[in-house]
Each structure stands twice: as C-alpha cells, then as structure tokens.
C-alpha cells in the first residue's frame, strides 16, 4: 500500500494529464461528428492491423496440422480413385488395383550417394511394413526396406539396386527403369525392343506387374536415346517425374490383396 501511494505521489501529474486527455478525447468524439469519424477510422485501422497480425501468427502455427489434414484427404482421394478404376476396368484383375494410400512426411533424405535412402515419420503402428511402395504426387519414390514402430526407411529410386517395371503410355510396351548413379534428375530405361520407335517426351508409368506399385503411376519422360549396349535392345535416358531433392510429403501404398495374390504366385 505504501508503494502504491509513493507511486501515485511521484507520477500524479502524469496520471492527471492522461485522465484529462482521455476525457477530452471522449467529449470530442461525442460532440464533433467529423472528429468522431476520423478517430473511429484510425481505431478501426489499428484494431484491424492487430487482428490481422494475430490471425497470421495463428495460421502460421496451424500450418502443420492443416498440411496433415490435406495429406490425409489426398490419400483418401487416391484410394477412392483406384477403387473406381478397378470397378470400371474390364481387362485387368480388380484385385491388383485395390490399394490404400498412407500419407507420411520425409524427415531425412539423400540424393548424392551411390545408394540413397529416405526416412519417413510413419512406422509399424501405422500399418507400414517392408516392401511397400512409396510415391509422391509427382510419381514413384521408392520402396520400404526397414520398419520400426514409428519410422520407416525407404530405398529411393536413386539406388544401385532399384529397378522398376514401367510401361510406355503411347504403345503399351514394357521396359525396366533404373538410376544411372550420377544425376538425381535422370535414370536409364533398358530392355526397349529394337523395333520400338521413341520420341523425346514419351511418357513412362508403372506397369502394375508387381504388388509394390499400382499401374499408371508416373515414372518420367524420355530425354534422349542412348548408344546401343546390346544388339537385342535399346536404352534411353529418362527424366524422373519426381524431384527427389525437394521431397517433403509421400504416400505409402498398401495393397489390400497382397497376401491373396502372393499365395497364387507361390502356387504357380
């Protein structure tokens, strides 16, 4: 109490000035319409700026949750899309097109090694297991090679042992795609039949001839034909559709009929 009285005694002139100033402004606003409009406009501008800053601040810290919801929504849409394709496809067995897509974030990645891997923030508790395919919105990424309870290691397409079966969209021919161990942007298409005429820009997608990837996932486009390494097949340079250096979000592919399809393959 003594400190309060000491404070009031020391600053009573300033406090009195502020009180009188507030009273004058209040009377001014009440009695003079023009000044009232001007002061109201200034007050609205200040409060608007404050709430805008507050909203931007709040939105920034909610981006992580919004990104998570967006990825989950995209995964759901991708799952529904493949189910619709399965129902309308009269040629392919619909079992091979029944997939779920599980969203995940990339928390570590490499592109400059001979054998490159990614680490994602989903694991066994999220339904992930070894040999599941991984894609992004642009195309193929790789496959899971190791899983813990909360994380999974993905062998990138940028790996010396990575080879996937792809199909040319223009003529439906099958070829194999691998990485050339040099530039993360490009790979190699091998086993191209000699009679097949290709143009720069021709598109390759996954063939669907495995339990890892559904069909029609983008792989890349032909960049140029390469010198022949075999008298039986041609090879070509491919530009990957996936930009491996900027990967942030991926989708893990769950084949709902993998066990059933594997049982038929084993019995052949």
């Amino acid at each position: 109490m003594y400190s309060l009285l000491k404070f009031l005694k020391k600053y009573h002139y300033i406090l009195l000035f502020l009180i009188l100033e507030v009273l004058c402004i209040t009377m001014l606003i009440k009695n003079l319409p023009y000044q009232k409009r001007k002061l109201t406009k200034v007050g609205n501008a200040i409060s608007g700026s404050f709430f805008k800053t507050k909203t931007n601040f709040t939105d920034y810290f909610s981006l992580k949750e919004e990104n998570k919801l967006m990825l989950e929504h995209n995964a759901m849409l991708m799952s529904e899309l493949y189910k619709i394709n399965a129902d309308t496809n009269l040629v392919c067995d619909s079992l091979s097109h029944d997939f779920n897509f599980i969203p995940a974030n990339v928390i570590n990645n490499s592109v400059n090694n001979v054998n490159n891997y990614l680490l994602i923030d989903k694991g066994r508790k999220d339904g992930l297991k070894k040999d599941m395919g991984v894609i992004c919105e642009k195309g193929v990424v790789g496959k899971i090679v190791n899983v813990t309870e909360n994380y999974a290691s993905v062998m990138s397409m940028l790996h010396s042992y990575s080879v996937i079966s792809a199909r040319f969209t223009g003529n439906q021919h099958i070829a194999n795609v691998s990485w050339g161990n040099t530039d993360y942007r490009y790979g190699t298409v091998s086993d191209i039949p000699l009679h097949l005429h290709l143009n720069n820009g021709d598109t390759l997608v996954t063939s669907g001839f495995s339990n890892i990837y559904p069909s029609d996932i983008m792989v890349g486009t032909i960049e140029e034909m390469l010198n022949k390494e075999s008298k039986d097949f041609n090879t070509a340079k491919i530009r990957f559709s996936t930009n491996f250096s900027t990967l942030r979000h991926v989708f893990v592919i769950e084949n709902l009929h993998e066990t059933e399809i594997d049982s038929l393959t084993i019995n052949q």
Side-chain angles (χ1 to χ4, degrees), residues 120-140:
I120 59 177
D121 64 350
K122 294 291 177 68
R124 195 176 296 114
K125 68 179 179 59
D126 304 292
L128 273 58
K129 58 184 180 180
K130 187 177 178 181
D131 291 332
M132 280 184 167
V134 180
I135 64 173
C136 67
E137 292 182 347
K138 295 292 186 179
V140 174

Side-chain angles (χ1 to χ4, degrees), residues 19-212:
I19 292 171
L20 292 174
E21 192 73 18
V22 171
L23 287 174
C24 289
I25 293 174
T26 303
M27 293 176 64
L28 188 67
I29 292 174
K30 286 184 177 181
N31 296 302
L32 298 174
Y34 177 77
Q35 283 76 4
K36 179 179 180 179
R37 288 195 300 269
K38 285 293 183 180
L39 288 171
T40 301
K41 185 176 180 180
V42 172
N44 288 339
I46 294 173
S47 61
S49 178
F50 170 78
F51 285 115
K52 181 179 179 181
T53 302
K54 177 178 178 292
T55 301
N56 290 339
F57 184 79
T58 304
D59 288 347
Y60 176 80
F61 285 99
S62 65
L63 281 177
K64 182 176 181 180
E65 184 63 25
E66 289 182 3
N67 283 338
K68 179 183 177 181
L69 293 174
M70 182 185 70
L71 288 172
E72 290 175 350
H73 181 65
N74 287 346
M76 180 189 69
L77 291 177
M78 293 172 74
S79 299
E80 291 300 320
L81 176 63
Y82 275 91
K83 288 176 182 178
I84 292 172
N85 288 341
D87 293 337
T88 57
N89 193 330
L90 301 179
V91 178
C92 298
D93 184 355
S94 64
L95 288 179
S96 65
H97 288 270
D98 205 352
F99 298 90
N100 275 340
F101 296 83
I102 304 168
N105 296 305
V106 177
I107 58 177
N108 194 22
N109 184 23
S110 65
V111 296
N112 297 315
N113 300 323
V114 175
N115 297 317
N116 295 284
Y117 295 88
L118 301 91
L119 187 65
I120 59 177
D121 64 350
K122 294 291 177 68
R124 195 176 296 114
K125 68 179 179 59
D126 304 292
L128 273 58
K129 58 184 180 180
K130 187 177 178 181
D131 291 332
M132 280 184 167
V134 180
I135 64 173
C136 67
E137 292 182 347
K138 295 292 186 179
V140 174
V141 173
K143 71 173 183 178
I144 293 176
V145 292
N146 197 15
V147 184
T148 63
E149 192 66 19
N150 298 295
Y151 301 98
S153 177
V154 180
M155 184 175 74
S156 169
M157 272 291 296
L158 311 180
H159 194 288
S160 59
Y161 292 160
S162 179
V163 180
I164 66 169
S165 174
R167 172 175 54 83
F168 289 98
T169 57
N171 50 46
Q172 307 304 310
H173 276 278
I174 304 299
N176 291 320
V177 177
S178 58
W179 185 44
N181 297 334
T182 53
D183 193 325
Y184 67 84
R185 297 173 297 174
Y186 302 102
T188 302
V189 187
S190 56
D191 300 329
I192 303 172
L194 295 177
H195 67 273
L196 199 62
H197 179 71
L198 299 177
N199 298 306
N200 292 351
D202 285 352
T203 302
L204 285 103
V205 296
T206 52
S207 66
F209 291 167
S210 73
N211 293 338
I212 299 176

